[in-house]
Amino acid sequence: MKIAIIGTGYVGLCTGACFADLGNDVVCMDIAEEKIEKLRKGIIPIYEPQLKELVDRNAAIGKLKFTASLKEAVGNSEVIFIAVGTPPRHDGSADLSYVENVAYQIAKVMDGYHLIVEKSTVPVQTGKRVERTIKENARHGIEFDVASNPEFLREGSAIHDFLHPDRIVIGVSSERAAILLKKLYEPLNAPIIVTDINSAEIIKHASNSFLATKISFINAVANICEKTGANIEEVAHGIGLDKRIGKSFLNAGIGYGGSCFPKDVSAFVKISEDLGYDFKLLREVETINKRQKELFLKKIHDGLWNLSGKTVGVLGLAFKPDTDDMREAPSIDIINYLVKEGARVKAYDPAAMENAKKILPIIDYCVDEYEVARNVDALIIVTEWKEFKEIDMNCLKSAMKKPLIFDGRNMFDKQKMKALGFQYISVGR
Ligand code: NAD
């Protein structure tokens, strides 16, 4: 099948590369010409395991192409995916101007039937607006369909997730659109759920909001554990073995961040409010998430007393491991607070330092964990990168001024850290 992907970011590029690998002819388009130039040269603009080999392999055989021309991308593509960003606006709603703009431009260059698919995460009823925009701007009489096909991949395991999804959601208003999308996804052998467009849009917002709710729930329970001497890991294990609840997303820590959960929860709250329903539950999820970071900062304050004149090392900057994405990363608020209080901050992240430097230019970036540890008054673990598990703790300890660690991700065994001579402060344990 001939496919165009409009917006070649984390989702657009991974989706395009995977569809190409499944045998389709894919053109990935982006307005960022520099990005397209890099991709043509085989330079991948994001850190994502397995992505480069997939792009290289399919670009080499001409199955995956890159362009900055929307007209060229739309060309004779049967299916056009919109994968542009939907960032949060100041009031929490999703900024849909990129989606509208793309819909308008597609309409202007359409020259025959196309299926236009929302891949971006959008609030319910966006499909209707996309359809209206296209109808108003396309040449009279041109046939088209609009569909919603939300994406559930996670950064850090995007390729695996795309190729092995739990389910594929297809929101359509015509049989023709359903047939096309089912055919496209057939090779994945995954359950396909066909719904109306509104339901598909809600499935995405509700899924992310539910996962965020699990995280805030376990963090709230972690706070009760701390006050009573219970251990959140044992509690989470005891809860998670119940199949109705499930083990995942029950890791207590400093809360969720990233380019999806914060904006999707707030967009779901906002669209609910616009529709006349006050989604108080989700507003509380947001409040707990914010407070979780504040509680962690309070622990750091209590442990270090005055931050002014102290040096603090930060391990991990990306919003989660295996990505270089810094959008809404908890490290940003934590580091800004430390700097505001007068601390000198040193940091290391295996992948996100280049992106972090644009947001946090005032701190010192180190080559590894041991350089971060040198002469610091305390270390803070913000992202649970696997490589931190392999740290030589004795080496780390001897580099530090004081053996004090604040672990926002509960990466290490509390007793073992104590036995090694660390003052080790984690979450809910
Ligand atoms: P991103 O910022 O990485 O990529 C968006 C891309 O769209 C950018 O490269 C930008 O230059 C391009 N763009 C903007 N306007 C354009 C236009 N008019 N024409 C062509 N390209 C244009 O964003 P992302 O993380 O890939 O997210 C895209 C959408 O997918 C969002 O709605 C997001 O919520 C959703 N989503 C993201 C993830 C994730 O893990 N990142 C997962 C599931 C769903």
Side-chain angles (χ1 to χ4, degrees), residues 155-197:
E155 286 175 22
S157 53
I159 304 301
H160 176 270
D161 291 352
F162 187 92
L163 296 173
H164 306 277
D166 291 339
R167 78 310 204 182
I168 289 150
V169 175
I170 292 175
V172 286
S173 57
S174 82
E175 189 56 28
R176 187 174 184 177
I179 289 169
L180 273 173
L181 285 173
K182 277 192 198 162
K183 192 171 149 210
L184 187 57
Y185 279 109
E186 204 173 31
L188 294 186
N189 255 328
I192 296 181
I193 295 157
V194 181
T195 68
D196 60 275
I197 296 176

Side-chain angles (χ1 to χ4, degrees), residues 312-334:
V312 179
V314 173
L315 293 182
L317 296 163
F319 86 90
K320 67 172 188 177
D322 293 320
T323 181
D324 60 354
D325 199 343
M326 283 295 294
R327 289 177 285 186
E328 300 282 331
S331 63
I332 301 171
D333 285 347
I334 290 172

Side-chain angles (χ1 to χ4, degrees), residues 406-417:
F406 297 94
D407 184 355
R409 301 297 181 184
N410 289 351
M411 281 196 82
F412 299 103
D413 184 276
K414 215 178 148 182
Q415 301 311 328
K416 279 190 192 150
M417 293 300 276

Side-chain angles (χ1 to χ4, degrees), residues 6-13 29-32 35 46 70 82-87 98-99 101-102 105 119-122 150-155 204 208 259-260 263-264 319-320 325 327:
I6 313 301
T8 308
Y10 282 87
V11 166
L13 183 56
M29 182 268 164
D30 205 286
I31 40 165
K35 189 183 270 188
I46 54 171
L70 185 106
I82 301 178
V84 296
T86 48
Y98 303 91
V99 173
N101 185 269
V102 168
Q105 290 190 46
K119 190 59 137 168
S120 302
T121 302
V122 292
E151 184 49 60
F152 299 96
L153 62 77
R154 296 161 298 174
E155 286 175 22
K204 176 64 193 178
N208 274 4
S259 65
C260 291
K263 84 168 171 61
D264 292 348
F319 86 90
K320 67 172 188 177
D325 199 343
R327 289 177 285 186

